[in-house]
Amino acid sequence: MVNRNAAEKALNLIRSRLCNPNFIFRPLCDSPDSNYSKLKFIVSSSVTEACNNSVLLLGPRGTGKVAVLELVLEDLLLEYPDMITLSGGVVFQIRLNGLLHSDDNSALKEIARQLCVEHQLVFSKMASFDDNSEFMIAMLRECGLAHKTVVFVLDEFDLFTQGKQRLLYALLDAMQSVTSQAVFIGVSCRLDADQLLEKRVKSRFSHRKLLFLPPSEEEIYRLLDHVLSLPVDSNLPHDYAMEFNAKLHSMFSDERFRQIIDSFMNFSPTVRHLVKFLFRAVSDMDLKLSNLSFENFKSAISSLQRQPKMECLRDCSILELYILVCMKRLEVKEQNSYSFSAVMKEYKSIHDSFQTSDYYSQDVCLRAFEHILQRGLVCFADGRGRIQSTEFRPVKLLISFAELSQGLKAHHLCPAILQKLAA
Amino acid sequence: MLGWFLQKRKMGKDEVPLITRRTTRSSSATAISTKNNVVESTTSTNICSPSPIDLLYGGEPIDLDVLLSNFPGRHPQIRELLQILGPLNAPMLPVFVYGGPSTGKTGILLQLFRHLNRPFVYSSCRTCYSPRILFESVLNQLSYHQKNSTNGYSSVKRCEKPSDFVNFLREALVGIVKSLKENRRKSKSSKKLERSIDGNMVYLIFDKLELVKDWDKSSTILPLLFNLDSMLNIPEVGLIFISSTPPDTFYSSMGYIEPIPLYFPTYNEDDLRQILVRNQANPKLYSSFLDVVLRPFCRITRRLDELSAVFSPLFIEYCKPLNDLAIVPNEDLKRKLFSNLQPHISLFLNETFRVLSQSSLGAERTKDGEPRGSKSKVGTCEDSDELDFHMSTSAKYLLISAFLASRNPATLDASFFDSRGGSADGRKRRRKPSEMAKGQKEAEEQELLSKGPGSFPLERLLAIFQCITSVAEDSLGEEVQEEDSLEVEGQNNPLMSDVLLQLSTLCNANFIVKGGTCPLEGSTRYRSVVSEDLALKVAKSVKFPLAKYVYRR
């Protein structure tokens, strides 16, 4: 019982670690040439030398751009205890997200709102774009005079480059003045994000870019160890933690385990994917056994690497398979555009020549057809629709022929004649 | 199917039914009917101040065993969900639950929260059909706000923009998590009789996510929802998405960290049998009934909602020869019942749903969960020669003329409906069966198949209507001179308005579809979507020789 309690505690600990990106990326920050150090240098130079800076963090989704940034800011707040302050520390950040604030008006409004919240000012909802941008510049000047660094974080940076980029221009232009003290950080998963900038914006940007890459194998194991091993000196029973860690390390050296990690990282190489995988494996942990086993990881990989189209095909009834096969036959015949009525004709001709037992009325087939439409196995080929009824709209298959024949083979009820027809 | 959602939450003082929130589908399935009585006990309780308790599932928490037995064939999924949700206070990564319709996704999830006794916010994108309503629904629930007459059915906050939503949501969630933690501290110190909440996690459930794809702003809302986790960055919040389409249908150029997938497969035959036999008065009898019908029907569809809709009338048919419904059938009886049922099976196999005739009114079934399936042209019994619905004679003629106008090329109208009473001779003379004509014919057929019925302006429809009604009168009485038709038109002006009314009725009933306006003529064009069978049937009922007038290539 004690063991079970401890196991539950351990499980919760690991789960909360996995859900906390700051924790996960900590071990990847040590080396002097890591992105963490570079970014920290940029921001801290702005803090200590009172200058403006701008940088783009680029890299695929899930490589920890935002997490590293947060670590940097967190550490800087600790490193530079507040000397001259309006409210908090020397650094404060304004966060924008391209998904939420991609239009210039709302972005500036959000900046003004966050500035107001930070400095206990009254935020006016009615303020115009110009008011807000004037307010922002004035605030930047004030902050600069108070030697307070403002960090602008623009998540999903590429979305800010749609339209006239007035916001980017306003921000980067404000940072040309000597009085302000700000860092502009754009975060994007488009590697060509800086190419999206207009000329006037581009010329004001420092062209510093930090590229985030998926972790190397050595880093992966460091990360695994960091995340999964239990702390020995905590409220967990000492023996339990030791045993847990020992089992874990013996598993890490297991060849089969390495193979699993390898195959998963080949499939999706970023840290966040790895975290997802670990989460799935950890949540599968048997509380009675009270430690992680190889089987946990094995089942996690199968539950994460799904084949949705195959699953859809397996869910289909025989009639739905017939319709899919008919559509495939029509596509083989190189009919570039066909509708449900054409499919019905093909279905009827199949029935006429083979006398299948599965011949149903058009209404029933239409319903089956709508089912496979809902499943996303087929779709309408024209965008407009609405006016025409379902039967006459051109349709197309969304699965390849190979997938279809594979799905037919995997379907346990599939009649032999269907496989023959689909071949 | 999910009828037990009708009343879910412990309600506040004024009992505005929250029905809209949980009536995902009206219950027609007999299979799960007992679940209804589990929840009916959740009536109004004392007047309570709003607290996170409002976010719990109404009614007493249920045991895991009850939950498992309520959902046969879903044990691995329930177990997996439990693992992902984790023990008390365990943070989680977002989950994406998917699987075909009526596989128990929503039901299991909600019952699971009832079992776990943890607070959650449920919003279905079916009832919340636009971003604003979705946002406000989530915020309303989080601030324990109920729309009622005292607040003019308004939401707690007006929230249209995603940016506002995220701000408000963060505010509300932080508040709730704080109060949950305080509550726990309090409940530790003083034992209360009141129901407590387990854990300090709050879960947001977004159901029917596949519908968001059809929204105007889907390209911003979907990434927003999928990235909500990293945007909020509150570890005490769990996100759960439910969709009937697999995750790959949500891919976009935006990209996001995919949530953990959890798949609910369609029930297989054994599961279906288990589910359908549950709650039957006479399981043995029903099981022998299923022996006969389940396999053939499973070849058509394995959706539980459709099967149970088909089986309930079929079972009545099956029981007809029996006097005593509690009988346990032996082999002999089974064979007899089967031979009795057999003709009905093939009949039921070939119809999607049946519109009951006048005699058995009241028990009308419709097919749930299939928006397009309810088109009225399906609503006829194909087996009988009579029409199952009532239609006025002029509407019938209108329908026939619309059918003709859609099928026949406009250029041939004159030859069909000319003064000599539509002789087909001229047409026959023109057709010369040559090789080239044959190829052309096939091409034309293809075109008809791909294009569907043609469209026509209102004038043409009225002209044909005028012609065929006059022909019909002709055929009844003696020869009337054709010049009369002009006069008739003049006289029948009041009738014309009636015809237009009929036309709009037919449009509403989806027999005729209003198309876009023709850019040249500027008038609305119509299109008849009735099948040829139905048109022939209608023609037969008014004794109109339709076949004579249809242009055959």
Side-chain angles (χ1 to χ4, degrees):
Chain A
M1 208 58 227
V2 177
N3 235 9
R4 194 190 162 87
N5 250 341
E8 199 172 311
K9 239 184 229 166
L11 178 63
N12 267 9
L13 177 72
I14 297 177
R15 280 174 71 119
S16 54
R17 279 175 177 178
L18 285 171
C19 294
N20 180 4
N22 289 8
F23 182 87
I24 292 161
F25 285 97
R26 185 60 88 183
L28 303 181
C29 298
D30 306 335
S31 70
D33 58 341
S34 68
N35 281 324
Y36 169 81
S37 322
K38 288 178 193 159
L39 187 62
K40 194 171 170 189
F41 174 75
I42 291 172
V43 182
S44 65
S45 76
S46 168
V47 172
T48 52
E49 289 157 31
C51 60
N52 294 308
N53 256 321
S54 49
V55 64
L56 279 183
L57 313 182
L58 305 177
R61 222 167 260 280
T63 41
K65 301 178 289 291
V66 176
V68 167
L69 173 64
E70 296 216 331
L71 281 175
V72 166
L73 293 177
E74 206 174 88
D75 291 353
L76 279 178
L77 275 179
L78 289 175
E79 237 166 81
Y80 298 96
D82 34 354
M83 302 173 286
I84 317 149
T85 51
L86 293 170
S87 62
V90 281
V91 181
F92 83 90
Q93 48 172 326
I94 288 176
R95 311 207 63 147
L96 298 178
N97 191 315
L99 277 172
L100 307 176
H101 314 106
S102 61
D103 83 296
D104 297 329
N105 262 331
S106 70
L108 259 181
K109 205 169 262 183
E110 180 67 18
I111 291 176
R113 192 188 70 82
Q114 291 190 18
L115 278 169
C116 288
V117 170
E118 183 72 23
H119 298 100
Q120 279 111 40
L121 298 170
V122 184
F123 170 61
S124 156
K125 273 186 181 172
M126 306 302 290
S128 67
F129 183 85
D130 284 343
D131 293 343
N132 280 331
S133 88
E134 259 172 47
F135 172 71
M136 181 186 79
I137 290 166
M139 282 304 290
L140 278 180
R141 196 183 303 123
E142 287 298 315
C143 287
L145 290 174
H147 291 293
K148 219 167 130 68
T149 305
V150 184
V151 181
F152 289 96
V153 181
L154 275 71
D155 208 348
E156 313 287 350
F157 177 74
D158 48 312
L159 293 178
F160 284 100
T161 59
Q162 296 163 350
K164 295 205 162 166
Q165 310 188 352
R166 279 196 298 164
L167 169 82
L168 298 181
Y169 178 73
L171 276 176
L172 287 167
D173 194 46
M175 287 164 58
Q176 298 301 310
S177 73
V178 236
T179 46
S180 71
Q181 184 179 338
V183 187
F184 173 96
I185 300 174
V187 180
S188 173
C189 42
R190 272 189 75 165
L191 299 187
D192 62 341
D194 60 326
Q195 301 302 315
L196 298 169
L197 297 174
E198 287 179 6
K199 195 175 158 198
R200 59 173 189 164
V201 180
K202 210 185 233 170
S203 64
R204 284 166 173 79
F205 173 62
S206 71
H207 287 274
R208 262 187 262 254
K209 285 182 282 185
L210 291 181
L211 192 61
F212 284 70
L213 292 172
S216 64
E217 194 181 344
E218 187 246 323
E219 279 172 329
I220 288 172
Y221 282 95
R222 200 137 49 92
L223 204 125
L224 283 178
D225 185 44
H226 174 70
V227 171
L228 294 180
S229 58
L230 295 177
V232 182
D233 49 344
S234 68
N235 53 0
L236 286 167
H238 183 78
D239 302 342
Y240 172 70
M242 291 299 274
E243 193 194 329
F244 187 93
N245 291 347
K247 282 240 169 94
L248 201 66
H249 286 123
S250 73
M251 190 163 64
F252 284 169
S253 48
D254 187 351
E255 195 49 43
R256 291 182 304 163
F257 181 78
R258 288 195 169 249
Q259 259 175 21
I260 281 200
I261 296 285
D262 268 1
S263 74
F264 185 79
M265 292 314 274
N266 286 340
F267 174 69
S268 38
T270 69
V271 176
R272 285 293 277 273
H273 283 106
L274 182 70
V275 165
K276 201 170 78 177
F277 169 63
L278 292 181
F279 180 86
R280 193 67 201 82
V282 166
S283 63
D284 203 22
M285 182 170 104
D286 194 345
L287 288 180
K288 274 183 215 126
L289 276 174
S290 73
N291 46 40
L292 286 168
S293 68
F294 174 70
E295 273 64 41
N296 294 149
F297 291 90
K298 212 171 152 185
S299 69
I301 204 164
S302 67
S303 80
L304 284 186
Q305 294 185 341
R306 297 217 153 267
Q307 290 180 303
K309 292 291 182 216
M310 284 294 126
E311 285 163 354
C312 276
L313 279 175
R314 214 169 306 137
D315 280 353
C316 281
S317 65
I318 306 294
L319 177 60
E320 285 157 16
L321 290 181
Y322 261 102
I323 291 175
L324 286 174
V325 169
C326 289
M327 289 180 70
K328 190 229 153 179
R329 286 169 66 92
L330 285 177
E331 287 197 1
V332 168
K333 283 182 197 163
E334 288 181 1
Q335 287 199 7
N336 39 13
S337 154
Y338 57 91
S339 62
F340 174 71
S341 46
V343 175
M344 274 320 284
K345 209 176 137 209
E346 179 70 24
Y347 178 64
K348 197 166 182 308
S349 75
I350 285 181
H351 173 69
D352 287 345
S353 47
F354 294 97
Q355 293 301 321
T356 57
S357 58
D358 298 278
Y359 186 71
Y360 305 103
S361 73
Q362 176 156 359
D363 291 344
V364 176
C365 294
L366 183 63
R367 186 178 66 175
F369 179 71
E370 278 170 353
H371 287 176
I372 54 176
L373 260 178
Q374 277 177 4
R375 285 184 211 278
L377 290 173
V378 303
C379 75
F380 290 120
D382 59 340
R384 59 210 156 75
R386 301 271 155 87
I387 301 163
Q388 288 249 17
S389 55
T390 320
E391 295 112 299
F392 300 111
R393 287 178 66 182
V395 288
K396 63 181 178 203
L397 270 180
L398 290 181
I399 47 174
S400 67
F401 299 160
E403 274 176 314
L404 180 61
S405 58
Q406 196 189 336
L408 288 176
K409 261 180 216 142
H411 200 281
H412 63 288
L413 282 175
C414 177
I417 175 101
L418 255 184
Q419 293 191 24
K420 209 176 95 192
L421 285 170
Chain B
M1 164 186 171
L2 309 173
W4 72 95
F5 297 148
L6 278 171
Q7 282 192 319
K8 183 238 142 196
R9 290 273 153 91
K10 206 192 309 181
M11 289 182 191
K13 36 195 166 183
D14 17 37
E15 289 290 327
V16 178
L18 279 172
I19 287 171
T20 46
R21 297 194 44 220
R22 290 293 140 95
T23 42
T24 48
R25 275 169 248 174
S26 62
S27 98
S28 59
T30 50
I32 317 125
S33 57
T34 45
K35 279 176 205 142
N36 287 333
N37 54 29
V38 185
V39 188
E40 244 120 69
S41 54
T42 58
T43 45
S44 74
T45 50
N46 52 340
I47 298 168
C48 50
S49 59
S51 75
I53 287 187
D54 289 350
L55 294 180
L56 289 177
Y57 197 103
E60 285 304 301
I62 53 169
D63 228 28
L64 184 60
D65 296 333
V66 179
L67 177 64
L68 286 174
S69 69
N70 272 348
F71 294 96
R74 284 288 101 117
H75 295 193
Q77 281 77 26
I78 292 176
R79 212 152 292 140
E80 209 168 334
L81 256 178
L82 268 176
Q83 282 173 355
I84 292 175
L85 293 176
L88 264 189
N89 295 335
M92 64 176 271
L93 295 177
V95 188
F96 185 89
V97 179
Y98 69 101
S102 75
T103 46
K105 303 179 293 294
T106 310
I108 284 173
L109 209 60
L110 294 181
Q111 292 294 314
L112 204 58
F113 274 100
R114 184 175 176 195
H115 160 67
L116 291 170
N117 199 28
R118 296 185 197 170
F120 68 95
V121 170
Y122 172 93
S123 18
S124 158
C125 298
R126 170 93 65 199
T127 44
C128 306
Y129 52 86
S130 76
R132 187 184 153 188
I133 297 173
L134 180 67
F135 295 161
E136 288 180 357
S137 145
V138 173
L139 293 175
N140 283 346
Q141 292 178 60
L142 280 174
S143 43
Y144 327 115
H145 174 90
Q146 276 177 29
K147 291 184 181 181
N148 56 29
S149 52
T150 48
N151 55 31
Y153 298 99
S154 62
S155 299
V156 65
K157 268 174 196 135
R158 195 188 149 83
C159 173
E160 218 155 347
K161 283 184 193 160
S163 52
D164 294 342
F165 173 62
V166 173
N167 285 336
F168 289 140
L169 187 66
R170 184 177 291 122
E171 215 172 275
L173 284 172
V174 166
I176 282 195
V177 169
K178 212 170 114 196
S179 74
L180 280 174
K181 282 182 177 161
E182 273 168 15
N183 269 4
R184 280 178 71 70
R185 224 167 292 140
K186 254 187 252 163
S187 64
K188 261 182 198 164
S189 55
S190 64
K191 291 247 175 207
K192 270 191 203 167
L193 281 174
E194 237 183 271
R195 185 172 170 194
S196 64
I197 304 169
D198 289 343
N200 48 23
M201 289 283 291
V202 183
Y203 299 87
L204 303 183
I205 304 177
F206 294 96
D207 199 355
K208 305 260 183 310
L209 205 64
E210 75 277 3
L211 295 173
V212 181
K213 282 189 290 181
D214 299 333
W215 291 2
D216 292 341
K217 288 180 182 162
S218 63
S219 57
T220 59
I221 298 299
L222 279 176
L224 169 75
L225 289 178
F226 283 124
N227 285 315
L228 201 56
D229 183 53
S230 57
M231 267 185 228
L232 289 172
N233 210 358
I234 308 174
E236 284 90 357
V237 176
L239 285 173
I240 299 165
F241 304 104
I242 308 177
S243 159
S244 67
T245 56
D248 62 329
T249 53
F250 288 91
Y251 291 158
S252 67
S253 59
M254 222 354 255
Y256 50 87
I257 294 292
E258 285 167 57
I260 294 173
L262 178 55
Y263 172 56
F264 278 57
T266 306
Y267 293 112
N268 62 24
E269 237 175 88
D270 298 333
D271 298 336
L272 285 172
R273 171 184 294 270
Q274 274 190 55
I275 294 166
L276 289 166
V277 166
R278 278 161 51 91
N279 313 315
Q280 290 299 332
N282 184 352
K284 288 257 168 60
L285 184 67
Y286 202 80
S287 167
S288 68
F289 164 69
L290 286 182
D291 285 338
V292 181
V293 295
L294 194 55
R295 176 141 300 171
F297 278 93
C298 270
R299 288 181 88 86
I300 295 181
T301 176
R302 269 158 56 202
R303 273 175 60 169
L304 186 60
D305 50 352
E306 287 169 3
L307 285 179
S308 63
V310 178
F311 285 168
S312 57
L314 203 54
F315 185 57
I316 294 171
E317 210 54 63
Y318 185 75
C319 293
K320 257 184 192 163
L322 294 172
N323 299 323
D324 176 21
L325 284 181
I327 196 169
V328 177
N330 53 12
E331 285 304 312
D332 226 25
L333 185 63
K334 273 185 195 170
R335 216 167 296 133
K336 215 177 91 197
L337 287 172
F338 171 60
S339 59
N340 207 16
L341 188 68
Q342 210 166 17
H344 296 286
I345 292 180
S346 61
L347 206 142
F348 272 80
L349 276 174
N350 278 314
E351 63 188 21
T352 44
F353 68 103
R354 169 173 276 206
V355 177
L356 294 181
S357 49
Q358 309 286 13
S359 55
S360 52
L361 261 177
E364 190 180 339
R365 285 169 296 113
T366 50
K367 200 164 31 131
D368 285 336
E370 194 170 329
R372 245 170 270 140
S374 53
K375 277 193 176 168
S376 52
K377 58 188 182 295
V378 204
T380 51
C381 272
E382 298 281 332
D383 55 300
S384 68
D385 259 3
E386 295 152 31
L387 284 174
D388 272 351
F389 47 87
H390 176 73
M391 229 178 166
S392 70
T393 315
S394 68
K396 280 175 181 166
Y397 274 114
L398 201 59
L399 190 64
I400 294 168
S401 41
F403 175 73
L404 285 174
S406 260
R407 280 304 142 93
N408 294 349
T411 43
L412 293 182
D413 277 357
S415 66
F416 276 126
F417 304 109
D418 70 351
S419 53
R420 304 303 146 233
S423 73
D425 305 341
R427 179 164 59 103
K428 270 181 186 154
R429 230 181 295 129
R430 247 183 288 121
R431 281 173 57 195
K432 280 172 200 150
S434 68
E435 282 304 308
M436 214 174 75
K438 243 180 198 170
Q440 211 170 4
K441 184 179 140 193
E442 257 167 33
E444 273 170 354
E445 230 165 68
Q446 276 307 332
E447 204 181 308
L448 182 75
L449 270 179
S450 59
K451 268 192 186 166
S455 63
F456 50 86
L458 180 63
E459 289 78 10
R460 187 164 161 234
L461 174 71
L462 291 181
I464 294 178
F465 177 69
Q466 205 59 248
C467 289
I468 62 172
T469 44
S470 65
V471 169
E473 276 152 23
D474 288 356
S475 62
L476 288 178
E478 69 289 279
E479 292 261 345
V480 181
Q481 282 144 353
E482 282 306 315
E483 291 88 86
D484 281 0
S485 68
L486 271 177
E487 281 174 37
V488 169
E489 199 173 357
Q491 287 161 6
N492 282 17
N493 254 344
L495 186 93
M496 285 311 269
S497 69
D498 185 45
V499 166
L500 289 179
L501 202 68
Q502 298 277 8
L503 180 65
S504 75
T505 314
L506 288 177
C507 281
N508 286 338
N510 225 346
F511 284 119
I512 298 173
V513 174
K514 231 181 207 176
T517 51
C518 173
L520 282 178
E521 295 168 33
S523 59
T524 322
R525 293 184 76 89
Y526 296 84
R527 190 190 292 273
S528 147
V529 290
V530 292
S531 65
E532 189 157 354
D533 296 341
L534 180 62
L536 283 172
K537 228 179 275 176
V538 171
K540 207 170 170 188
S541 69
V542 289
K543 298 200 175 62
F544 177 77
L546 179 66
K548 224 169 95 186
Y549 289 92
V550 182
Y551 172 62
R552 307 254 173 232
R553 274 170 251 255

